[in-house]
Structure formats: C-alpha cells, structure tokens
C-alpha cells in the first residue's frame, strides 16, 4: 500500500496512457480516418466496402499495376501490396485479417520472395500485441497532429469555424504505372536493384519459401484452389542473378503440390512494361488481365 500511495501519480498517468491507447487502438484511426496515411492493405479493404472475404489475386505492386479488377471476368479482389511478400500473405491468413474464398491466385515477381526486401511498416500484422498504438504509428500521428494544430491556429486567427476542422484527406488509391520509363532510367533502376538485391542467396529468401510451404498446406486444408502466376520482367534486361535458383526452387515446390502455374516471367514484349517489373496500365495491363482470365477459365473448365 505504501508503494501505491508513494507512486500513485505515476501509476495514474500510466493507467491513463494505457486506457487512452486502448481506446485509440480500438478506433484504429490509421484505418478509419482519412487524416492518416493508408497502406495498400487498408486501401484494398476501403475500395471493397470493408469486405474481408472473397477470391483474391495477391502479390506486390506488380500485381496492382497488372491486374485490372473491374475489367476481369475472374472477378478476383486485387490485393497487390506495395512491397508485398508471401510472409505478408501468411500473416494475413494466420491472423484472419482476410478470408480467401473460391480461389487464391498469387503473383510472384523477382522481388516477392525476398526476405531482405524493405516493406511498409504500417501493415497491421507487424504490430506486436504489447506495442502501444500511439508509439507504433508515432510518425503518422506527428504528421497529422502537426497539420491539425496548424488548422486550429489558422481557424482561430481567421475566426473561421470551418477552418478549424478542415484537413487534406490522405491519398486512398494505389500506385499505377502509365507510359514507359526512359532507357537511361531503366538502366539506373537495374543497377539499383542489382546493388540492393543481386547478391541474394537462398538464406535471403528462406522465410518466404517457408511461407510458401505454409500457404500450400493452408490451401490444402481449406480445399482452396491455389494458382500461381510468374509476373512479367522486362526481358530487355538480364534477370537478377538469384532468379534461376529461386525460380527452380519455387517451381519444384509448386509442382510437388500440383499447383497450376502460369509462367509469364519473360514472355512479354518490353513495349508492354512501364519499367523493369511493372506493366504499363494502358498497353500491358489489359493484355495481362485477359491472359490470366483465359488461363483461370481453362482451369475451371478442366476441373468440371
């Protein structure tokens, strides 16, 4: 009791912080408020009215750029995530953040399997249960809080009540890729990729291989059809040095599990690509969407 009396003020402050953090976490402004930055997982849910189940085309930004959902006959939910990897998909499924129904299509490009690839730290599966919400997203609270204070000050000075609550909604659409990157920029990008990831070996994508094994087992346990598409690479440039071994390793796992695979890795004319890994929205994406639709339809037909 003496300890409690002596430290009551500090304990009350701690309790107030914990309770306020729990309340803010429950409201989840990173998802619900347009004042805050939105990651691609949140954007996916937003553009589907909060829907958390259905057939999915998962991958990274290559899938976002290539698959035109509203023009597709397959009607898959485009879940391309910036820097998305199979470890992310495993976390989504494990934590029940989205329930895949009917079929799961995974797009794998030259970066999807790399453990060493940087990612978006705001994806919800990266938040540990014990990590305070305000601390986890402190940079985004600082950004939006600074904006709110400026608006309050401006509204008070101008005596304009509307200005007190005005703010610039954060961007809610995903990045698409239009036109074609200049040749010199493409070469710079190739050199950048090689410097950052070209030296990768199996230990640098082992976590994603393990995630692939887990996803295969998950789909089998749920009787969920799994399909894999090797996403296009700009064949004007050599594939990354790690790709032959990585692709051989992944393909062996897919073949052993009888997972249908559509290999488009080097099949597309460079005129269809915006850069090294993203299809041009005007030229490449319609062709890709139609090809994937046709392939999926053939699989559905053969299973009848």
């Amino acid at each position: 009791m003496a300890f409690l009396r002596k430290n009551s003020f500090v304990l009350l402050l701690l309790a107030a912080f914990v309770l306020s953090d729990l309340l803010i976490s429950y409201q989840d402004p990173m998802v619900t408020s347009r004042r805050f930055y939105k990651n691609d997982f949140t954007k996916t849910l937003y553009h589907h009215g909060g829907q958390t189940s259905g057939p999915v085309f998962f991958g990274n930004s290559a899938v976002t750029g290539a698959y035109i959902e509203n023009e597709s006959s397959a009607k898959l939910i485009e879940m391309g995530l910036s820097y998305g990897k199979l470890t992310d998909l495993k976390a989504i499924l494990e934590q029940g953040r989205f329930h895949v129904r009917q079929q799961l299509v995974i797009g794998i490009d030259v970066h999807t399997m790399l453990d060493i690839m940087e990612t978006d730290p705001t994806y919800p599966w990266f938040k540990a249960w014990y990590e305070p919400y305000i601390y986890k997203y402190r940079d985004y609270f600082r950004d939006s809080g600074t904006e709110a204070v400026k608006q309050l000050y401006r509204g008070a000075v101008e005596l304009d009540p509307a200005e007190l609550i005005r703010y610039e909604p954060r961007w809610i659409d995903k990045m698409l890729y239009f036109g074609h990157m200049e040749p010199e920029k493409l070469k710079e990008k190739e050199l950048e990729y090689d410097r950052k990831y070209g030296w990768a070996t199996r230990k640098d994508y082992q976590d994603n291989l393990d995630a692939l094994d887990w996803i295969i087992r998950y789909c089998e346990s749920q009787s969920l059809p799994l399909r894999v598409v090797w996403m296009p690479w700009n064949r004007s440039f050599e594939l990354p040095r790690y790709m032959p071994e990585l692709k051989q390793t992944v393909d062996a796992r897919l073949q052993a599990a009888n997972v249908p695979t559509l290999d488009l890795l080097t099949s597309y004319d460079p005129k269809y690509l915006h850069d090294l890994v993203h299809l041009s929205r005007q030229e490449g994406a319609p062709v890709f969407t139609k090809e994937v639709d046709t392939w999926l339809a053939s699989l559905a037909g053969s299973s009848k």
Side-chain angles (χ1 to χ4, degrees), residues 8-75:
S8 59
F9 180 71
V10 174
L11 292 173
L12 283 172
L13 282 179
L14 179 61
F17 173 79
V18 171
L19 289 174
S20 62
D21 189 76
L22 287 173
L23 178 61
I24 293 171
S25 178
Y26 177 77
Q27 294 176 335
D28 200 4
M30 288 292 293
V31 171
T32 59
S33 174
R34 291 291 302 278
R35 283 186 178 272
F36 291 86
Y37 163 83
K38 298 290 178 281
N39 59 53
D40 278 357
F41 182 70
T42 299
K43 290 175 181 179
T44 299
L45 302 185
Y46 176 88
H47 286 294
H48 293 85
Q51 181 180 345
T52 56
S53 68
V56 164
F57 194 159
F58 178 87
N60 59 20
S61 58
V63 167
T64 301
Y67 181 66
I68 308 177
E69 181 179 329
N70 61 1
E71 294 184 9
S72 169
S73 59
K75 302 304 179 187

XYZ file of all heavy atoms in Angstrom, residues 8-75:
532
model
N 1.395 6.864 -6.634
C 0.032 6.938 -7.175
C -0.057 7.825 -8.402
O -0.763 7.503 -9.366
C -0.932 7.430 -6.094
O -0.522 8.718 -5.631
N 0.640 8.959 -8.383
C 0.554 9.886 -9.519
C 1.114 9.245 -10.789
O 0.501 9.320 -11.858
C 1.308 11.180 -9.201
C 1.258 12.179 -10.318
C 0.076 12.849 -10.611
C 2.379 12.445 -11.101
C 0.006 13.759 -11.658
C 2.323 13.354 -12.154
C 1.127 14.009 -12.421
N 2.269 8.610 -10.646
C 2.884 7.947 -11.803
C 2.001 6.809 -12.308
O 1.810 6.634 -13.520
C 4.284 7.423 -11.445
C 4.864 6.604 -12.597
C 5.208 8.565 -11.081
N 1.434 6.045 -11.378
C 0.577 4.926 -11.767
C -0.700 5.406 -12.453
O -1.174 4.786 -13.405
C 0.232 4.088 -10.538
C 1.402 3.326 -9.909
C 0.984 2.668 -8.605
C 1.939 2.274 -10.881
N -1.236 6.532 -11.966
C -2.424 7.102 -12.606
C -2.111 7.573 -14.023
O -2.908 7.376 -14.943
C -2.969 8.257 -11.772
C -3.749 7.864 -10.514
C -4.062 9.094 -9.674
C -5.042 7.133 -10.896
N -0.947 8.204 -14.190
C -0.531 8.625 -15.535
C -0.383 7.419 -16.457
O -0.798 7.445 -17.621
C 0.791 9.392 -15.467
C 0.744 10.850 -15.005
C 2.144 11.438 -14.976
C -0.147 11.667 -15.938
N 0.228 6.344 -15.923
C 0.412 5.129 -16.714
C -0.928 4.524 -17.095
O -1.141 4.123 -18.253
C 1.249 4.123 -15.934
C 1.514 2.773 -16.622
C 2.284 2.988 -17.922
C 2.289 1.842 -15.688
N -1.849 4.477 -16.130
C -3.173 3.917 -16.402
C -3.908 4.756 -17.445
O -4.569 4.220 -18.339
C -3.982 3.847 -15.107
N -3.783 6.082 -17.328
C -4.436 6.970 -18.292
C -3.873 6.756 -19.688
O -4.619 6.744 -20.680
C -4.252 8.422 -17.862
N -2.539 6.570 -19.774
C -1.920 6.334 -21.078
C -2.398 5.021 -21.673
O -2.748 4.948 -22.857
C -0.402 6.324 -20.945
C 0.311 5.923 -22.207
C 0.486 6.823 -23.236
C 0.781 4.617 -22.380
C 1.120 6.462 -24.412
C 1.415 4.243 -23.549
C 1.583 5.167 -24.567
N -2.416 3.965 -20.842
C -2.824 2.648 -21.333
C -4.272 2.679 -21.808
O -4.606 2.165 -22.884
C -2.638 1.580 -20.236
C -3.266 0.253 -20.672
C -1.155 1.377 -19.942
N -5.152 3.295 -21.005
C -6.567 3.345 -21.373
C -6.792 4.171 -22.637
O -7.560 3.779 -23.520
C -7.385 3.923 -20.209
C -7.541 3.016 -18.993
C -8.236 3.762 -17.849
C -8.330 1.756 -19.351
N -6.114 5.315 -22.736
C -6.269 6.144 -23.926
C -5.712 5.435 -25.154
O -6.285 5.512 -26.248
C -5.584 7.501 -23.731
O -4.187 7.336 -23.529
N -4.589 4.715 -24.986
C -4.015 3.984 -26.115
C -4.947 2.872 -26.571
O -5.115 2.636 -27.779
C -2.650 3.414 -25.730
C -1.907 2.839 -26.931
O -1.375 3.639 -27.722
O -1.886 1.605 -27.083
N -5.579 2.170 -25.613
C -6.528 1.116 -25.954
C -7.725 1.686 -26.703
O -8.215 1.094 -27.674
C -6.992 0.392 -24.692
C -5.969 -0.534 -24.028
C -6.511 -1.054 -22.702
C -5.622 -1.706 -24.948
N -8.198 2.863 -26.257
C -9.341 3.496 -26.909
C -8.988 3.904 -28.348
O -9.749 3.655 -29.276
C -9.781 4.724 -26.115
C -10.952 5.521 -26.706
C -12.187 4.643 -26.804
C -11.232 6.755 -25.865
N -7.815 4.511 -28.509
C -7.377 4.920 -29.843
C -7.155 3.698 -30.726
O -7.521 3.684 -31.905
C -6.098 5.770 -29.753
C -6.405 7.100 -29.058
C -5.506 6.026 -31.136
C -5.169 7.917 -28.730
N -6.565 2.656 -30.155
C -6.339 1.418 -30.910
C -7.663 0.812 -31.363
O -7.774 0.307 -32.499
C -5.566 0.418 -30.044
O -5.379 -0.800 -30.732
N -8.674 0.868 -30.494
C -9.993 0.329 -30.840
C -10.606 1.112 -31.995
O -11.200 0.551 -32.911
C -10.915 0.378 -29.616
C -12.318 -0.092 -29.894
C -12.611 -1.449 -30.014
C -13.362 0.827 -30.033
C -13.900 -1.885 -30.281
C -14.646 0.402 -30.301
C -14.917 -0.951 -30.420
O -16.187 -1.371 -30.682
N -10.443 2.439 -31.971
C -10.963 3.280 -33.050
C -10.139 3.134 -34.327
O -10.647 3.347 -35.427
C -10.987 4.740 -32.601
C -11.966 5.002 -31.460
C -11.903 6.429 -30.971
O -10.872 7.104 -31.129
N -12.981 6.906 -30.358
N -8.868 2.783 -34.169
C -7.962 2.499 -35.289
C -7.968 3.593 -36.354
O -8.323 3.346 -37.519
C -8.321 1.155 -35.916
C -7.177 0.559 -36.731
O -6.079 1.172 -36.732
O -7.373 -0.490 -37.364
N -7.548 4.811 -36.009
C -7.590 5.917 -36.975
C -6.701 5.707 -38.196
O -6.956 6.297 -39.246
C -7.124 7.122 -36.148
C -6.345 6.542 -35.020
C -7.030 5.248 -34.700
N -5.662 4.875 -38.083
C -4.833 4.596 -39.254
C -5.650 3.943 -40.367
O -5.296 4.013 -41.544
C -3.661 3.694 -38.865
C -2.583 4.380 -38.046
S -1.662 5.624 -38.982
C -0.803 4.603 -40.152
N -6.756 3.306 -39.989
C -7.647 2.668 -40.952
C -8.894 3.511 -41.201
O -9.323 3.703 -42.332
C -8.055 1.254 -40.475
C -9.160 0.669 -41.356
C -6.845 0.338 -40.453
N -9.471 4.040 -40.124
C -10.794 4.658 -40.227
C -10.781 6.142 -40.569
O -11.775 6.669 -41.062
C -11.552 4.476 -38.901
O -10.783 5.083 -37.830
C -11.750 3.005 -38.581
N -9.690 6.846 -40.303
C -9.653 8.290 -40.523
C -8.841 8.653 -41.759
O -7.709 8.200 -41.924
C -9.059 9.010 -39.299
O -8.891 10.389 -39.563
N -9.407 9.512 -42.603
C -8.691 9.962 -43.790
C -7.600 10.981 -43.449
O -6.875 11.426 -44.330
C -9.674 10.567 -44.794
C -10.631 9.582 -45.446
C -9.931 8.621 -46.395
N -9.224 9.285 -47.448
C -9.777 9.728 -48.567
N -11.073 9.562 -48.786
N -9.034 10.326 -49.496
N -7.471 11.337 -42.190
C -6.377 12.222 -41.788
C -5.026 11.505 -41.835
O -3.983 12.151 -41.856
C -6.584 12.734 -40.364
C -7.601 13.847 -40.218
C -7.616 14.362 -38.789
N -8.538 15.466 -38.602
C -8.237 16.744 -38.778
N -7.004 17.081 -39.137
N -9.143 17.694 -38.589
N -5.069 10.163 -41.819
C -3.839 9.391 -41.678
C -3.485 8.652 -42.966
O -4.357 8.261 -43.745
C -3.977 8.379 -40.531
C -4.037 9.014 -39.181
C -5.245 9.469 -38.656
C -2.888 9.189 -38.428
C -5.306 10.058 -37.408
C -2.935 9.791 -37.179
C -4.145 10.228 -36.671
N -2.189 8.439 -43.149
C -1.654 7.652 -44.267
C -2.331 6.291 -44.323
O -2.620 5.688 -43.290
C -0.143 7.487 -44.076
C 0.470 6.378 -44.900
C 0.833 6.586 -46.226
C 0.677 5.108 -44.347
C 1.384 5.563 -46.979
C 1.232 4.089 -45.102
C 1.579 4.316 -46.413
O 2.123 3.306 -47.163
N -2.570 5.788 -45.534
C -3.185 4.481 -45.717
C -2.243 3.551 -46.474
O -1.718 3.904 -47.532
C -4.493 4.617 -46.492
C -5.547 5.462 -45.775
C -6.091 4.742 -44.561
C -7.100 5.596 -43.824
N -6.463 6.614 -42.987
N -2.032 2.359 -45.923
C -1.224 1.371 -46.640
C -2.104 0.623 -47.644
O -3.330 0.778 -47.671
C -0.544 0.409 -45.663
C -1.539 -0.349 -44.807
O -2.462 -0.979 -45.302
N -1.357 -0.288 -43.480
N -1.478 -0.196 -48.484
C -2.208 -0.843 -49.580
C -3.200 -1.894 -49.097
O -4.194 -2.175 -49.790
C -1.227 -1.464 -50.579
C -0.688 -0.447 -51.576
O -1.126 0.726 -51.509
O 0.160 -0.808 -52.406
N -2.978 -2.485 -47.939
C -3.956 -3.439 -47.409
C -5.226 -2.696 -47.008
O -6.343 -3.115 -47.348
C -3.379 -4.194 -46.216
C -4.323 -5.226 -45.655
C -4.622 -6.379 -46.360
C -4.927 -5.039 -44.419
C -5.505 -7.333 -45.852
C -5.805 -5.982 -43.901
C -6.099 -7.136 -44.613
N -5.057 -1.579 -46.315
C -6.205 -0.755 -45.940
C -6.931 -0.243 -47.170
O -8.166 -0.208 -47.221
C -5.749 0.430 -45.065
O -5.155 -0.072 -43.865
C -6.914 1.333 -44.702
N -6.164 0.162 -48.195
C -6.776 0.647 -49.435
C -7.593 -0.454 -50.105
O -8.674 -0.190 -50.662
C -5.702 1.162 -50.385
C -5.036 2.454 -49.927
C -3.896 2.841 -50.860
C -3.211 4.119 -50.395
N -2.078 4.502 -51.270
N -7.099 -1.687 -50.073
C -7.838 -2.806 -50.656
C -9.201 -2.946 -49.991
O -10.230 -3.066 -50.659
C -7.050 -4.118 -50.512
O -5.805 -4.015 -51.203
C -7.836 -5.295 -51.085
N -9.210 -2.941 -48.661
C -10.466 -3.074 -47.928
C -11.378 -1.877 -48.201
O -12.591 -2.033 -48.385
C -10.192 -3.207 -46.427
C -9.304 -4.384 -45.990
C -9.234 -4.453 -44.468
C -9.810 -5.705 -46.560
N -10.801 -0.695 -48.230
C -11.580 0.533 -48.462
C -12.300 0.479 -49.801
O -13.489 0.800 -49.898
C -10.647 1.744 -48.412
C -11.325 3.064 -48.722
C -11.930 3.807 -47.716
C -11.343 3.570 -50.027
C -12.561 5.011 -48.004
C -11.975 4.772 -50.317
C -12.578 5.493 -49.308
O -13.191 6.678 -49.591
N -11.598 0.051 -50.838
C -12.189 0.031 -52.177
C -13.163 -1.121 -52.375
O -13.797 -1.217 -53.440
C -11.091 -0.014 -53.231
C -10.379 1.291 -53.404
N -10.996 2.410 -53.896
C -9.098 1.665 -53.118
C -10.136 3.431 -53.920
N -8.986 2.997 -53.456
N -13.283 -1.989 -51.366
C -14.256 -3.081 -51.450
C -15.264 -2.987 -50.311
O -15.828 -4.006 -49.873
C -13.533 -4.435 -51.442
C -12.712 -4.665 -52.668
N -11.422 -4.199 -52.791
C -13.004 -5.274 -53.856
C -10.950 -4.522 -53.983
N -11.890 -5.167 -54.649
N -15.482 -1.768 -49.850
C -16.517 -1.528 -48.848
C -16.303 -2.252 -47.543
O -17.277 -2.608 -46.863
N -15.040 -2.488 -47.177
C -14.744 -3.188 -45.933
C -14.868 -4.697 -46.031
O -14.736 -5.405 -45.025
N -15.096 -5.214 -47.224
C -15.226 -6.664 -47.432
C -13.956 -7.374 -46.990
O -12.846 -6.977 -47.341
C -15.503 -6.934 -48.903
C -15.675 -8.402 -49.270
C -15.960 -8.587 -50.756
O -16.305 -7.617 -51.453
N -15.808 -9.806 -51.250
N -14.111 -8.449 -46.224
C -12.946 -9.182 -45.713
C -12.967 -10.653 -46.108
O -12.383 -11.499 -45.433
C -12.847 -9.067 -44.184
O -14.072 -9.539 -43.584
C -12.589 -7.623 -43.754
N -13.646 -10.963 -47.193
C -13.613 -12.336 -47.710
C -13.899 -12.312 -49.201
O -14.533 -11.373 -49.711
C -14.627 -13.229 -46.986
O -15.946 -12.830 -47.308
N -13.417 -13.343 -49.889
C -13.650 -13.446 -51.322
C -12.436 -14.001 -52.041
O -11.384 -14.253 -51.428
N -12.539 -14.210 -53.349
C -11.404 -14.697 -54.142
C -10.368 -13.595 -54.302
O -10.724 -12.416 -54.447
C -12.046 -15.047 -55.486
C -13.244 -14.146 -55.567
C -13.747 -13.990 -54.162
N -9.101 -13.952 -54.280
C -8.034 -12.952 -54.186
C -6.939 -13.188 -55.217
O -6.575 -14.335 -55.504
C -7.423 -12.961 -52.763
C -6.087 -12.232 -52.717
C -8.382 -12.334 -51.770
N -6.425 -12.077 -55.746
C -5.178 -12.084 -56.516
C -4.176 -11.318 -55.660
O -4.201 -10.096 -55.590
C -5.377 -11.401 -57.865
C -4.257 -11.651 -58.860
C -4.479 -11.477 -60.214
C -2.988 -12.060 -58.460
C -3.473 -11.693 -61.153
C -1.974 -12.298 -59.371
C -2.214 -12.104 -60.729
N -3.278 -12.052 -55.009
C -2.316 -11.445 -54.084
C -0.947 -11.283 -54.738
O -0.539 -12.098 -55.565
C -2.155 -12.311 -52.828
C -1.140 -11.772 -51.856
C -1.497 -10.848 -50.894
C 0.190 -12.168 -51.933
C -0.559 -10.321 -50.021
C 1.140 -11.651 -51.063
C 0.765 -10.727 -50.112
N -0.256 -10.250 -54.349
C 1.110 -10.047 -54.807
C 1.617 -8.703 -54.340
O 1.093 -8.114 -53.391
N 2.642 -8.205 -55.008
C 3.168 -6.890 -54.666
C 2.640 -5.857 -55.670
O 1.625 -6.059 -56.312
C 4.699 -6.912 -54.590
C 5.352 -7.352 -55.891
O 4.748 -7.305 -56.958
N 6.601 -7.784 -55.809
N 3.350 -4.751 -55.812
C 2.877 -3.688 -56.696
C 2.817 -4.123 -58.158
O 2.109 -3.506 -58.962
C 3.762 -2.447 -56.555
O 5.118 -2.755 -56.863
N 3.543 -5.186 -58.523
C 3.459 -5.693 -59.888
C 2.039 -6.175 -60.191
O 1.528 -5.995 -61.300
C 4.466 -6.818 -60.106
N 1.396 -6.802 -59.208
C 0.014 -7.254 -59.372
C -0.931 -6.058 -59.434
O -1.854 -6.015 -60.258
C -0.379 -8.214 -58.228
C -1.894 -8.438 -58.200
C 0.342 -9.541 -58.380
N -0.704 -5.068 -58.570
C -1.536 -3.858 -58.599
C -1.520 -3.226 -59.981
O -2.565 -2.824 -60.506
C -1.033 -2.831 -57.566
O -1.075 -3.411 -56.261
C -1.875 -1.574 -57.591
N -0.332 -3.125 -60.569
C -0.214 -2.484 -61.869
C -0.745 -3.323 -63.013
O -1.189 -2.780 -64.028
N -0.731 -4.656 -62.860
C -1.023 -5.541 -63.990
C -2.467 -6.010 -64.068
O -2.996 -6.216 -65.167
C -0.102 -6.757 -63.935
N -3.118 -6.192 -62.936
C -4.445 -6.812 -62.920
C -5.515 -5.735 -62.797
O -5.593 -5.029 -61.788
C -4.554 -7.801 -61.768
C -5.893 -8.499 -61.693
C -6.295 -9.379 -62.691
C -6.755 -8.277 -60.622
C -7.521 -10.030 -62.629
C -7.979 -8.920 -60.545
C -8.361 -9.795 -61.549
O -9.577 -10.429 -61.479
N -6.339 -5.610 -63.830
C -7.420 -4.617 -63.834
C -8.688 -5.318 -63.352
O -9.396 -5.970 -64.131
C -7.620 -4.009 -65.228
C -6.290 -3.477 -65.786
C -8.650 -2.880 -65.173
C -6.384 -2.921 -67.193
N -8.969 -5.171 -62.106
C -10.054 -5.926 -61.480
C -11.404 -5.683 -62.140
O -12.162 -6.631 -62.394
C -10.119 -5.566 -59.993
C -11.187 -6.305 -59.220
C -11.213 -5.935 -57.751
O -10.151 -5.597 -57.189
O -12.311 -5.968 -57.161
N -11.720 -4.428 -62.423
C -13.055 -4.135 -62.963
C -13.212 -4.518 -64.428
O -14.306 -4.406 -64.981
C -13.410 -2.656 -62.756
C -12.452 -1.707 -63.458
O -11.520 -2.150 -64.136
N -12.663 -0.421 -63.302
N -12.143 -4.986 -65.056
C -12.241 -5.475 -66.436
C -12.054 -6.990 -66.511
O -12.062 -7.567 -67.603
C -11.192 -4.786 -67.323
C -11.418 -3.291 -67.495
C -10.425 -2.649 -68.449
O -9.668 -3.398 -69.108
O -10.409 -1.408 -68.534
N -11.900 -7.614 -65.373
C -11.607 -9.040 -65.327
C -12.875 -9.872 -65.201
O -13.769 -9.556 -64.407
C -10.685 -9.346 -64.143
O -10.577 -10.736 -63.930
N -12.951 -10.949 -65.955
C -14.079 -11.867 -65.835
C -13.923 -12.799 -64.649
O -14.895 -13.397 -64.190
C -14.225 -12.675 -67.129
O -13.029 -13.422 -67.388
N -12.690 -12.921 -64.137
C -12.442 -13.786 -62.980
C -12.948 -13.164 -61.689
O -13.178 -13.866 -60.701
C -10.952 -14.088 -62.863
N -13.079 -11.834 -61.672
C -13.624 -11.108 -60.516
C -12.861 -11.396 -59.226
O -13.447 -11.609 -58.161
C -15.113 -11.439 -60.321
C -15.976 -11.125 -61.533
C -15.841 -9.661 -61.955
C -16.668 -9.334 -63.179
N -16.428 -7.961 -63.696
